Amino acid sequence: MNKILKLTLVLFLICAIVAGVLGVVDLITKDRISAYLTNKSNTAKAAVMPVNAAEGQDPYTELDLKTLGIPTTINSNGQKVKILSVSEAANGVGYVVETEFSGAQGTIVMVVGVSNDLTCTGISITKHSETSGLGANAASVAEVGVNFRSQFIGVNKNVQLKKAG
């Protein structure tokens, strides 16, 4: 019994030390990770809808979808697509829509630029876990990825949004 108690105490101390170290690492890296993610998001937005904002002005203003009555989940070709955010371009030329949907290997997060007349201005895939050389080609910065994404630029589809069931 004494041996079990001693092992339990040692295991508890190890877990407490590791949890403490992870907590400190989180405190140290939280701001840096947040800045990285914000920069990644802004870079993706700028790639699909370039905006010349005045100095000190945010180039994109995030809209509150619930207040506007815009659904956050839609059906597209029989698949549920989650709308993570919609941001309006500062110069009023359109919107940047961040979506999440299922891919072959997991979730794909994509940012799409949409002009006021519902024309695609660009696509940027910001997160995926697709197979290298296959599905991952769509997000690639290589010619194959750039060519794949560019085929959607200028496409205009008047889509009626319906809430997913």
Side-chain angles (χ1 to χ4, degrees):
M1 181 73 169
N2 191 22
K3 196 174 194 180
I4 293 174
L5 188 60
K6 183 178 177 182
L7 287 173
T8 303
L9 182 61
V10 168
L11 185 58
F12 174 77
L13 288 174
I14 291 171
C15 289
I17 291 169
V18 169
V21 169
L22 288 173
V24 169
V25 169
D26 180 60
L27 282 173
I28 293 171
T29 60
K30 186 187 322 183
D31 293 338
R32 182 178 246 179
I33 291 171
S34 177
Y36 169 78
L37 292 174
T38 299
N39 186 42
K40 183 177 179 181
S41 175
N42 288 340
T43 301
K45 288 177 181 178
V48 300
M49 170 104 21
V51 174
N52 292 326
E55 190 173 328
Q57 179 186 19
D58 287 333
Y60 309 96
T61 303
E62 190 164 336
L63 304 176
D64 185 356
L65 301 179
K66 291 186 184 198
T67 301
L68 295 172
I70 298 173
T72 56
T73 304
I74 61 171
N75 282 317
S76 178
N77 296 325
Q79 182 178 11
K80 287 185 180 179
V81 177
K82 186 187 281 185
I83 299 174
L84 301 177
S85 68
V86 176
S87 299
E88 185 175 13
N91 57 2
V93 296
Y95 301 88
V96 176
V97 182
E98 185 176 21
T99 64
E100 177 182 273
F101 53 92
S102 295
Q105 303 297 320
T107 302
I108 297 172
V109 177
M110 180 170 69
V111 176
V112 180
V114 181
S115 67
N116 289 327
D117 66 352
L118 299 180
T119 299
C120 177
T121 61
I123 295 174
S124 181
I125 298 171
T126 58
K127 180 182 173 190
H128 72 89
S129 55
E130 298 301 297
T131 305
S132 294
L134 296 173
N137 284 344
S140 173
V141 294
E143 185 178 352
V144 67
V146 172
N147 289 340
F148 175 77
R149 291 186 307 276
S150 68
Q151 71 181 325
F152 300 102
I153 297 173
V155 172
N156 182 306
K157 293 285 185 178
N158 290 315
V159 180
Q160 188 174 16
L161 300 179
K162 295 180 181 177
K163 289 187 179 181

